[in-house]
Amino acid sequence: MSDSATSGPGRDGAARETWATRVGFVLASVGSAVGLGNVWRFPFQTAENGGAAFLVVYVAAVLVIGLPALLAEYVVGRRANVDAIRAFSALGHRRFWFVGALGVAGAFWVLTYYSVIGGWVIRYAVDSLTGAYLAQPATYFETVSAGLPAVGFHAAFMLVTVVVVAVGIEDGIELATKLMVPAVVVLMVGLAAVAATLPGAGAGFEYFLTPDLTVVATNLGDILPAAVGQALFSLSLGFSVMITYASYLGQDDSLLVDGAAVATFNSLVGVLAGFVVFPLLFAQGVSPDTAGPGAVFISVPTALASVPGSLAGVRVGQVLGLVFFGIVLLAALSSSISLLEAVTSFVVDRAGTSATRPVVAAGLGTAAFLPGVLSALDTAWLSWFDAVAVNLLLPVAVLLVVGFVGWVLGRDAAAELAEGSGSLERLAPVWLWTLRTVVLVAVVGTVLLSVQSFLSGGVAPPL
Ligand code: TRP
């Protein structure tokens, strides 16, 4: 893997920041993709949708829809070399501007509640100092997940996100993700190892790894949209994040290799989270389908409580808890940064020199904080915001991008993908063909099923 130091003017002649290195781009993509979606959302979605059966459909969704769609966003971003809304005009298709607009709006929408969950993580990191969550993990989660303190932690998380984005893409984001990515993996492997030793853990492995295909068959209408939605959310698709990141990219990178690396790594972290959460829930005697959005916040403290020993009056479990929630915090931040970055980059590109990056980032962070207060006061609101994002906005946004790239950009898209791909360029036409057919049909099916499952879950916000 070679570094391509491509700083300097962008294609449109304007001086635009670019990634200092190719590794920087891949890490930032991974940083955006790996986040609460993997550690918080994946386990409880698995639990609510049939355990191992969900895992199978999810992996298929990543391969059939996720990776091709990720490449489609990379192609749009790198070819246009501007923010996600102007990208469509820059490619000569001005009337598709609304695709980018929907994406930027979606990124903003996700940020509002993502920051609330990020706030929970800050709280748990801080609580490691006292070990407050160790005694009664399930009750504890109930008490702290909603209410005024949760609003305060939501504010804290948003503030940190704003600061990193205000500093600018290279210093802020590249540094944060370089630290976070290896740390997440090492820690999760360690926790999975601890989990595996606990009595009762075996039932967790069985639950997670032994798919009951009759469950898939009888619940396909629910499992399919949930698994595809999880794959899209987890890869940060649809909401102009990957388009924005790829717009800072040079022409000599292999999008295919980078995309495949990002998709593989991202799924591995999700699966790893499963290896941590399920053995722990079973060891504790908590049924996974009752844990809901609290799954990771209930199961991990359970494991920590079982770790023996103490150092200078501090339980070893607390030290490990600080490390775990600290690292999940980094993962969450590198994703929330990407969400705010997509919206900020749009406003800054548009307003030119009249709007400075720090001011825009702060203004948008505040604007996203306010509706997020609802989710911080009541988890029913959080679930509603999440359902609108994942069941409505996300599949529609991905459908539009896939349709645009497949049928409007067409051959140009394949040419863009081929560029920098070396001997893999032969795959570009295959990708285009799949995008136009299999991927498109699968996404249309997902939209229909997702909207149906959203409607049946009750459309109305929980007023
Ligand atoms: N992928 C991130 C996660 O799994 C969340 C996220 C960041 C996201 N940017 C996004 C989701 C853009 C959808 C679109 O935590």
Side-chain angles (χ1 to χ4, degrees), residues 32-33 35-38 114 233-234 236-237 239 241 335 338-339:
S32 170
L36 297 170
N38 311 61
Y114 202 85
F233 183 87
S234 178
S236 297
L237 294 174
F239 298 153
V241 168
S335 302
S338 75
L339 292 164

Side-chain angles (χ1 to χ4, degrees), residues 69 108 119 162 196 204-205 234 271 279 313 317 362 368 397 406 420 463:
F108 183 83
V162 166
F205 290 120
S234 178
V271 172
L463 280 173

Side-chain angles (χ1 to χ4, degrees), residues 322-348:
L322 183 62
V323 178
F324 177 77
F325 289 109
I327 285 174
V328 172
L329 181 60
L330 285 182
L333 277 171
S334 58
S335 302
S336 64
I337 287 162
S338 75
L339 292 164
L340 184 59
E341 167 67 25
V343 193
T344 303
S345 138
F346 158 69
V347 176
V348 171

Side-chain angles (χ1 to χ4, degrees), residues 145-199:
S145 55
L148 278 184
V151 175
F153 285 105
H154 162 46
F157 185 86
M158 192 68 89
L159 183 68
V160 183
T161 304
V162 166
V163 169
V164 180
V165 171
V167 175
I169 183 161
E170 303 221 332
D171 328 348
I173 301 178
E174 289 197 53
L175 182 68
T177 46
K178 264 177 201 154
L179 295 172
M180 179 281 291
V181 170
V184 168
V185 174
V186 170
L187 205 82
M188 301 262 280
V189 170
L191 269 175
V194 173
T197 64
L198 296 179

Side-chain angles (χ1 to χ4, degrees), residues 109 239 383-395 454 459:
W109 182 277
F239 298 153
S383 298
W384 182 79
F385 272 91
D386 185 58
V388 171
V390 179
N391 291 330
L392 290 182
L393 303 176
L394 193 47
F454 179 71
V459 209

